[in-house]
Amino acid sequence: MTADLDSLETQEWLEAFDAICRVQGSERAAFILDQLQEHATQKGIQLPKSVTTPFRNTIPVNRQKAMPGDLFMERRIRSLVRWNALAMVMRANQKSEGIGGHIASFSSAATLYDIGFNYFFRGNQGDNLGDLIFFQGHSAPGMYARSFLEGRLSEQQLDNFRREVDGQGLSSYPHPWLMPDYWQFPTVSMGLGPIQAIYQAHVMRYLSARGLVPREDRKVWAFLGDGECDEPESLGAISLAGREELENLVFVINCNLQRLDGPVRGNGKIIQELEGVFRGAGWNVIKVIWGRHWDALLEKDTSGLLVKRMNEVCDGDLQNYKYNGGAYTREHFFGKYPELLDLVKDMTDDQIMALNRGGHDPYKVYAAYAEAMESSGKPTAILAHTVKGYGLGGAGEAANDTHSVKKLDIENLKKFRDRFAIPIPDDQLASVPYYRPAEDSPEISYMVRRREQLGGPLPARRASFEAMQAPALEAFIKQLESSGERQISTTMAFVRVLSTLIKDKNIGNRVVPIVPDEARTFGMEGMFRQLGIYSSAGQQYVPHDHQQIMYYKEDKKGVILEEGINEAGAMSAWLALATAYSTSACPMIPFYIFYSMFGFQRIGDLAWASGDSQARGFLIGATAGRTTLNGEGLQHQDGHSHILANTIPNCKSYDATFSYELAVIVQNGIKCMYEDQENCFYYLTTMNENYVQPEMPKGVEEGIVKGMYQFCGAVDGDAKLKVSLMGAGTIFNEVLAAAEILRQEYQVESDIWSLTSVNQLVREGQAADRWNLLHPTEKPKTAYISQQLGDSADPVIVATDYMKAYGEQIRPYVRQPMHVLGTDGYGRSDSRTALRHFFEVDRHFIALSALKALADQGRIKASVVEQAIKKFAIDPEKLNPLYQ
Ligand SMILES: Cc1ncc(C[n+]2csc(CCOP(=O)(O)OP(=O)(O)O)c2C)c(N)n1
Ligand SMILES: [Mg+2]
């Protein structure tokens, strides 16, 4: 800061400004500042950076909204919550070392949650849709403790914290999959909560703009850690919230200045840094730094020296003061300036220690939340200054290692009990008993009544929804027929399936295409005009292509979500829609279409969170396959997304070859998810290679869904030499070509199988294995694959455009000799023909593998295979593509 060369003049300017504030109000004052700023830039004066304000509370004392409730009663309730949270974690670890749990995070956040529960969070009981609350994962013990006091959870359930295998336990963190009536959002993978919350708020607006869900004044609250804000996902989408003016969104960032290993910004100020970032992104920022006990000191400090000192110290110092106590704070914080020492000369060290931080002061937190509720046209970020491990005293308050503290020794336990006035005698302390006053006690009645008035207890999740009817398969008649002469890709076929769905009378308005700036790549630009692209601002400009049929139409009631080059955002939008059946009682059918390489690989953790969230919808990995998307090279060519998809238990994945397969899979998917209410979502790959789409053979629907069906059998069923060829995706066309070569040139007949889902087949096979293991005396079950292939000795060749590991999975269920071809190694750009030769998945390698398998069985001579290698112009010393 530059030096003050004329303090008298400065004072005059400040007084003049004060007079404007007093007489004409804050709006006029802001206008004058605006004018001054504009004027200064005209004069070419460089202004100091203005996105941050001094290190003090945003809301001045005289503008603080008063908290209406009973402070003492609420403090008592909060103390009970704190105790039971601690007891639950300690007891869990007494029973079994190493089961884990956290208390320091919740200790710092207790007031932040309490004020929400007592005054702000609307529940979702009955017809109420309620607010959406993203609880910070590590604060889960505090939520369980509150639910216990409310009578929603039993002692036995608390005692089963983190013991979930027997079905009675409480999940370690918020997991809707494990507690479907309780937790709404998985948050413990840091950074996913904030981005999910932003898109929930965005989608909430979208649903109301389309008239599907009433707008109301629902809010999305997200509680996050200050350390968590280092995750790119946490802050990466905040500009969307600012731009979209999501006043329905509130972030509460618990700035306890610490993360797991140590300070978040020891040498800086995380609150100031975050203030700048959020303000710059168009958010309303409310800093809640100092508690009310500081107010009198700040009032007395007319010189501004106290605020100067507050601005000076870094977070490492602030943490140190709390760790070392009042005397240390006097010496090192106030002691820097004699005037400040003088300011606290009448205070004891204990009183200095009791100078509270804003996030621990119910009045300050209430005022911040109340102001956030009135925010108009902006999302709000509340930056609350707290102490990590608050109340743990010597056991870990503000210590670098407090994050992992799970128990207090008896001395610290006594101090904790005394500090929070829990009536448990010394002789019972060792077992850390829970403490719950009687149901009709003033405390319990108070907290239960508050929740009743606010629409029901929280956390709570709506698990059921009204079923929707899937269209009949006949609705997709065009996709079931042959395309005749026309060559089209499965991506095109998919777009047609989507168009048919959108026109469906029952469910058409629930279908939402989502794209991350790739609609044209996938041939979906026709939908821009037809459906409109959702924009909360409508279209305030004339698009240059407005006279064209397919112009770029943005619309307040637009259906398409075009999220820009932002896979994480688009996936979060998908997830918000895929859970709308629960969060908004409005089942939606989102289709997120992306480059398959930038799917699971890029947003894998969000996909995992989607499984946990019980999402319902379709993910479409377009332009899939290592050799099918040929020109784009190493970073684009996907040979493993099906392997990644298979890591998610409730994700069903399919690699369709033909448009009728796609139609069957999509129709069946809608029936499963929305009509039969099966808890799953779908991943489908589609390709950009054009070829003729055949008519659907009779009776193959069941096989398509299960993962394999016979596309055509051997022409001569009694032939001496026969193989089974299996293929998927566009490599299936190579299989068909290989069968021709084998028949015409080697008199080898082929049964040809389309392998629509290796993953589904293997899951079914493993389930049969498992059943057989557990029922040794009963008639064993046979995997579907084994049933289909029967007892013949003919070798099986599997070829896909994915890594060999994908096809290899079926080996345990194939009794015949089996050989797998796949695309291991990094992709590269070239023609499809060259790539398929390079990766050894083309017709020649398929035919070669069949011949080699027959030679291994002694059915043909090895020399035939050798000659085939020559004939197919394959270099036997060709380098392994895996290592190239
Ligand atoms: C993606 C991810 N990385 C790492 C962790 C492990 N982890 C759990 S809590 C924590 C520190 C949290 O610090 P902060 O966000 O400041 O929250 P606090 O506990 O201080 O409230 C870490 C690193 C995680 N849960 N998720
Ligand atoms: Mg922290």
Side-chain angles (χ1 to χ4, degrees):
M1 210 182 188
T2 23
D4 189 353
L5 300 177
D6 185 347
S7 60
L8 209 66
E9 188 187 39
T10 312
Q11 199 53 37
E12 277 171 18
W13 274 92
L14 293 177
E15 277 167 17
F17 185 74
D18 285 351
I20 298 175
C21 297
R22 214 172 34 247
V23 179
Q24 290 169 291
S26 52
E27 223 169 280
R28 173 74 187 155
F31 176 77
I32 295 286
L33 283 179
D34 231 34
Q35 292 292 304
L36 273 175
Q37 193 169 0
E38 210 177 298
H39 194 65
T41 37
Q42 266 176 24
K43 300 248 164 233
I45 293 168
Q46 287 277 337
L47 288 175
K49 63 174 178 181
S50 59
V51 282
T52 56
T53 57
F55 196 57
R56 55 184 296 176
N57 294 346
T58 305
I59 305 176
V61 180
N62 60 6
R63 263 198 27 226
Q64 237 171 252
K65 290 213 172 46
M67 191 178 88
D70 179 341
L71 175 77
F72 295 100
M73 172 64 78
E74 290 179 17
R75 180 176 193 275
R76 179 130 185 78
I77 292 167
R78 189 156 52 250
S79 299
L80 296 173
V81 175
R82 285 181 188 282
W83 175 263
N84 288 303
L86 173 72
M88 184 185 73
V89 173
M90 278 188 69
R91 287 165 69 95
N93 285 283
Q94 276 174 352
K95 268 208 314 201
S96 157
E97 273 302 327
I99 199 108
H102 298 84
I103 40 187
S105 304
F106 176 67
S107 305
S108 65
T111 307
L112 303 177
Y113 285 112
D114 256 27
I115 298 298
F117 279 119
N118 289 337
Y119 299 101
F120 295 97
F121 303 161
R122 267 100 30 113
N124 53 28
Q125 220 165 36
D127 290 336
N128 300 320
L129 291 178
D131 295 330
L132 306 181
I133 323 281
F134 286 76
F135 296 97
Q136 190 211 27
H138 293 78
S139 289
M143 308 314 132
Y144 292 141
R146 169 170 272 272
S147 298
F148 166 67
L149 288 169
E150 289 173 342
R152 298 176 68 205
L153 297 177
S154 66
E155 269 197 28
Q156 195 201 356
Q157 282 173 297
L158 260 56
D159 265 346
N160 282 318
F161 173 53
R162 295 192 166 213
R163 291 162 187 280
E164 303 173 77
V165 163
D166 285 341
Q168 276 303 302
L170 303 176
S171 62
S172 48
Y173 300 114
H175 292 302
W177 185 260
L178 299 169
M179 294 177 70
D181 299 321
Y182 193 85
W183 293 117
Q184 281 188 303
F185 307 109
T187 49
V188 78
S189 179
M190 316 224 110
L192 300 192
I195 193 168
Q196 284 181 69
I198 289 171
Y199 281 89
Q200 281 288 355
H202 179 44
V203 162
M204 212 180 244
R205 285 286 179 262
Y206 166 86
L207 290 174
S208 63
R210 288 195 51 204
L212 291 164
V213 180
R215 176 151 173 157
E216 298 178 348
D217 63 346
R218 299 174 74 195
K219 299 276 186 242
V220 179
W221 293 76
F223 285 79
L224 34 151
D226 45 0
E228 182 174 14
C229 290
D230 282 343
E231 291 284 5
E233 292 88 344
S234 298
L235 302 185
I238 62 172
S239 60
L240 169 107
R243 194 166 62 243
E244 286 294 316
E245 304 180 353
L246 299 178
E247 65 198 23
N248 55 340
L249 176 65
V250 183
F251 272 17
V252 180
I253 308 184
N254 177 12
C255 297
N256 55 26
L257 314 184
Q258 292 177 241
R259 43 178 164 72
L260 192 146
D261 285 342
V264 177
R265 292 286 183 276
N267 297 312
K269 274 177 145 57
I270 186 65
I271 292 179
Q272 298 299 91
E273 185 180 323
L274 292 174
E275 178 188 26
V277 172
F278 278 95
R279 212 184 285 285
W283 288 52
N284 171 36
V285 178
I286 305 175
K287 295 195 289 189
V288 188
I289 303 180
W290 309 108
R292 66 187 181 283
H293 300 307
W294 287 89
D295 287 343
L297 286 181
L298 284 160
E299 176 95 37
K300 269 206 278 178
D301 171 48
T302 48
S303 69
L305 201 56
L306 181 55
V307 176
K308 176 175 159 49
R309 183 72 187 125
M310 288 169 165
N311 280 324
E312 268 171 15
V313 288
C314 53
D315 286 357
D317 292 323
L318 288 164
Q319 183 192 338
N320 197 11
Y321 300 146
K322 276 297 168 207
Y323 182 83
N324 280 298
Y328 188 91
T329 308
R330 184 193 303 277
E331 188 186 340
H332 292 89
F333 177 75
F334 294 103
K336 169 120 190 243
Y337 302 111
E339 295 91 326
L340 291 188
L341 267 185
D342 201 45
L343 204 62
V344 293
K345 71 175 186 309
D346 297 331
M347 294 172 77
T348 64
D349 289 346
D350 284 346
Q351 283 172 324
I352 288 182
M353 186 62 178
L355 285 169
N356 56 347
R357 296 203 169 156
H360 293 294
D361 189 321
Y363 290 128
K364 301 287 184 193
V365 175
Y366 178 87
Y369 288 7
E371 193 150 309
M373 293 305 98
E374 288 176 6
S375 174
S376 159
K378 280 183 179 183
T380 299
I382 294 169
L383 307 175
H385 189 198
T386 63
V387 180
K388 190 143 178 172
Y390 181 83
L392 300 183
E397 186 163 302
N400 274 334
D401 60 359
T402 186
H403 186 84
S404 309
V405 168
K406 292 176 204 356
K407 52 179 180 254
L408 272 57
D409 62 23
I410 204 76
E411 280 319 302
N412 278 311
L413 202 55
K414 273 185 194 159
K415 282 192 198 146
F416 189 93
R417 174 201 62 188
D418 296 343
R419 177 167 181 173
F420 296 110
I422 308 297
I424 292 177
D426 281 356
D427 60 354
Q428 287 177 25
L429 265 188
S431 67
V432 211
Y434 300 114
Y435 180 73
R436 173 161 60 185
E439 208 176 312
D440 58 355
S441 63
E443 294 89 342
I444 304 299
S445 312
Y446 186 96
M447 66 194 295
V448 169
R449 204 169 53 246
R450 292 303 306 143
R451 290 311 316 160
E452 275 169 6
Q453 285 166 352
L454 284 162
L458 286 172
R461 177 180 179 276
R462 187 191 306 269
S464 60
F465 67 97
E466 234 172 82
M468 294 196 299
Q469 209 194 333
L473 187 58
E474 291 68 50
F476 304 96
I477 187 75
K478 283 271 169 253
Q479 281 72 54
L480 304 180
E481 289 170 354
S482 163
S483 63
E485 302 277 283
R486 286 203 61 195
Q487 299 199 344
I488 64 162
S489 68
T490 45
T491 301
M492 263 333 295
F494 160 74
V495 173
R496 289 173 188 180
V497 167
L498 191 61
S499 302
T500 304
L501 275 178
I502 288 168
K503 289 187 202 115
D504 185 86
K505 277 202 287 299
N506 283 327
I507 59 162
N509 69 344
R510 304 303 175 98
V511 175
V512 183
I514 306 170
V515 281
D517 201 31
E518 295 288 358
R520 292 183 201 277
T521 313
F522 309 138
M524 294 172 65
E525 64 272 34
M527 288 189 173
F528 288 164
R529 162 73 194 280
Q530 184 201 346
L531 302 177
I533 297 164
Y534 170 68
S535 160
S536 58
Q539 191 156 37
Q540 300 182 2
Y541 59 96
V542 178
H544 81 85
D545 53 358
H546 69 282
Q547 279 160 333
Q548 293 172 16
I549 300 173
M550 295 201 250
Y551 78 88
Y552 194 83
K553 179 182 169 193
E554 299 197 59
D555 186 359
K556 283 186 181 172
K557 288 188 184 303
V559 173
I560 298 174
L561 286 175
E562 160 69 82
E563 293 302 336
I565 312 168
N566 176 5
E567 280 80 11
M571 182 67 187
S572 301
W574 178 85
L575 175 52
L577 285 163
T579 49
Y581 73 91
S582 166
T583 54
S584 293
C586 179
M588 298 297 290
I589 312 178
F591 285 81
Y592 169 34
I593 306 107
F594 48 89
Y595 262 120
S596 73
M597 191 65 157
F598 306 140
F600 289 90
Q601 171 151 302
R602 174 62 77 108
I603 49 79
D605 208 8
L606 279 165
W608 185 252
S610 303
D612 191 349
S613 303
Q614 305 175 51
R616 289 175 157 83
F618 294 89
L619 299 174
I620 310 294
T623 56
R626 184 99 71 204
T627 68
T628 304
L629 175 65
N630 58 317
E632 298 286 323
L634 183 153
Q635 200 105 46
H636 283 70
Q637 291 167 351
D638 164 33
H640 51 271
S641 65
H642 279 286
I643 294 175
L644 300 178
N646 202 30
T647 59
I648 300 177
N650 48 339
C651 173
K652 297 186 186 180
S653 42
Y654 288 90
D655 185 21
T657 303
F658 296 127
S659 81
Y660 66 78
E661 294 178 358
L662 262 181
V664 168
I665 294 162
V666 170
Q667 192 274 343
N668 180 262
I670 293 176
K671 183 172 180 308
C672 281
M673 292 186 285
Y674 301 96
E675 197 173 306
D676 305 341
Q677 306 196 334
E678 204 182 304
N679 213 342
C680 59
F681 65 96
Y682 283 70
Y683 174 59
L684 320 181
T685 40
T686 61
M687 273 77 58
N688 62 335
E689 186 169 350
N690 294 325
Y691 44 86
V692 167
Q693 302 288 337
E695 184 185 348
M696 181 165 80
K698 290 243 168 330
V700 296
E701 292 93 323
E702 186 193 350
I704 291 174
V705 169
K706 288 197 156 161
M708 70 187 280
Y709 68 93
Q710 195 173 90
F711 179 76
C712 56
V715 176
D716 173 6
D718 300 325
K720 212 163 83 207
L721 298 174
K722 202 158 132 274
V723 292
S724 286
L725 302 182
M726 293 182 157
T730 54
I731 297 301
F732 188 71
N733 288 315
E734 295 298 318
V735 167
L736 295 177
E740 270 312 294
I741 294 172
L742 287 169
R743 192 159 61 83
Q744 288 183 5
E745 297 176 28
Y746 297 92
Q747 292 73 53
V748 177
E749 287 289 330
S750 308
D751 282 339
I752 299 177
W753 299 84
S754 172
L755 207 47
T756 47
S757 178
V758 167
N759 290 340
Q760 284 300 101
L761 287 173
V762 173
R763 286 176 179 184
E764 192 268 351
Q766 289 175 347
D769 281 352
R770 179 179 171 275
W771 192 89
N772 294 342
L773 175 73
L774 298 171
H775 303 86
T777 59
E778 295 183 50
K779 180 167 174 267
K781 293 190 177 190
T782 309
Y784 185 74
I785 316 170
S786 321
Q787 284 173 34
Q788 296 296 302
L789 289 174
D791 296 326
S792 94
D794 301 331
V796 173
I797 310 300
V798 179
T800 77
D801 214 6
Y802 288 85
M803 291 170 68
K804 295 190 185 82
Y806 176 63
E808 276 294 347
Q809 297 177 92
I810 61 173
R811 190 175 288 280
Y813 310 102
V814 176
R815 301 184 191 117
Q816 296 76 2
M818 173 178 153
H819 185 76
V820 175
L821 303 178
T823 52
D824 292 58
Y826 282 122
R828 58 204 57 216
S829 48
D830 211 312
S831 70
R832 290 190 179 114
T833 312
L835 286 174
R836 286 171 186 167
H837 176 77
F838 174 82
F839 282 107
E840 304 169 7
V841 290
D842 65 2
R843 57 197 66 185
H844 293 136
F845 273 93
I846 297 169
L848 176 64
S849 306
L851 295 174
K852 173 71 166 60
L854 290 169
D856 288 347
Q857 287 181 319
R859 290 162 75 179
I860 60 174
K861 291 203 180 100
S863 58
V864 177
V865 187
E866 196 176 30
Q867 282 157 18
I869 291 175
K870 282 205 191 88
K871 190 165 182 187
F872 298 154
I874 294 171
D875 171 8
E877 306 314 320
K878 181 177 176 299
L879 292 176
N880 184 346
L882 174 64
Y883 302 115
Q884 288 188 65

